[in-house]
């Protein structure tokens, strides 16, 4: 797999989709985009979902009226655009290639597990690079002029439990974390849990 070309394809596709979104909703303030819903089994790997949210869509939630509260600020399944289908559609040929190159050759169960581990590691690294590159492009004004200076693209994969904090740190340059205090606070909460 040409991981550099893969990252460029994700970057260009993701930036174009976010630009289209910002253009279509000029009165909305997009503050973040995230990759989530990573899925792979022995038969294939699917494109993660690209999500985006606006300040107006952030909610404080109380599940079942309990005292416990949580914010939807960094919960992509609760975002205004939780899955931007155009991104997954654009990248589906790349994911077919990943399946063919990594998973299809695995004949035994042990080979499948090894292939899935290798693919997950390589894919996580590539997606973290995509997030950093998209954040840099956004902050330089290269996606859309309406995006705020603190706009961030991050991996928010709550389904991976203890791995989520590491994926966030891997996908956001450490020097940029202080510019997104809500994300820094979210990381602190994950670390304490």
């Amino acid at each position: 797999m040409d991981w550099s070309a893969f990252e460029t394809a994700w970057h260009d596709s993701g930036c174009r989709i976010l630009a289209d979104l910002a253009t279509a909703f000029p009165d909305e303030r997009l503050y973040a985009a995230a990759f989530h819903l990573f899925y792979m089994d022995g038969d294939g790997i699917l494109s993660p979902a690209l999500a985006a949210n606006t300040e107006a869509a952030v909610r404080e939630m109380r599940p079942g009226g309990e005292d416990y509260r949580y914010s939807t600020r960094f919960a992509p399944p609760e975002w205004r655009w939780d899955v931007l289908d155009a991104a997954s559609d654009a990248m589906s040929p790349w994911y077919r290639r990943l399946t063919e190159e990594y998973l299809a050759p695995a004949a035994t169960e042990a080979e499948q597990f090894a292939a899935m581990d290798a693919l997950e590691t390589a894919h996580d690294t590539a997606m973290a690079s995509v997030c950093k590159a998209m954040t840099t492009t956004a902050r330089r004004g290269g996606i859309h002029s309406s995006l705020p200076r603190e706009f961030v693209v991050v991996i928010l994969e709550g389904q991976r439990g203890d791995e989520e904090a590491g994926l966030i740190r891997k996908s956001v340059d450490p020097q940029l974390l202080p510019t997104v205090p809500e994300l820094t606070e979210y990381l602190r909460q994950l670390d304490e849990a």
Side-chain angles (χ1 to χ4, degrees):
M1 170 60 70
D2 181 348
W3 287 105
S4 179
F6 173 84
E7 291 172 19
T8 298
W10 250 127
H11 172 273
D12 294 351
S13 175
C15 288
R16 184 175 49 257
I17 289 160
L18 292 175
D20 291 347
L21 194 61
T23 299
F25 298 91
D27 296 332
E28 299 282 350
R29 186 173 190 267
L30 292 168
Y31 67 87
F35 290 99
H36 70 119
L37 298 176
F38 287 56
Y39 179 78
M40 173 180 26
D41 62 19
D43 295 324
I45 181 172
L46 300 178
S47 170
L50 175 62
N53 205 24
T54 65
E55 291 290 350
V58 175
R59 301 281 181 256
E60 294 295 323
M61 307 292 287
R62 281 188 180 193
E66 300 170 11
D67 289 336
Y68 170 74
R69 291 175 26 162
Y70 74 94
S71 171
T72 63
R73 179 168 291 280
F74 293 107
E78 305 288 336
W79 284 5
R80 176 149 183 213
W81 297 283
D82 61 331
V83 177
L84 295 166
D85 289 327
S88 297
D89 293 346
M91 292 303 295
S92 64
W94 287 93
Y95 284 85
R96 282 193 295 277
R97 280 184 52 202
L98 285 172
T99 295
E100 291 167 6
E101 289 183 28
Y102 277 82
L103 304 177
T108 67
E109 189 174 307
E111 289 174 349
Q112 282 182 341
F113 285 129
M116 287 191 303
D117 284 345
L119 179 53
E120 180 178 76
T121 299
H123 185 256
D124 286 352
T125 299
M127 293 310 298
S129 294
V130 169
C131 289
K132 289 176 181 176
M134 288 178 68
T135 298
T136 298
T137 300
R139 289 180 175 215
R140 290 182 181 159
I143 293 179
H144 196 276
S145 62
S146 70
L147 297 183
R149 176 87 177 117
E150 65 277 5
F151 187 85
V152 66
V153 181
V154 60
I155 296 173
L156 293 171
E157 187 53 73
Q159 295 180 28
R160 298 216 352 225
D162 293 343
E163 294 178 56
E164 185 177 21
L167 290 168
I168 292 169
R169 286 187 175 92
K170 194 173 182 178
S171 63
V172 179
D173 282 321
Q175 65 269 23
L176 295 183
L177 267 176
T179 68
V180 190
E182 297 94 344
L183 184 57
T184 303
E185 174 60 20
Y186 181 65
L187 269 172
R188 186 190 63 72
Q189 291 171 7
L190 288 174
D191 289 339
E192 290 178 357

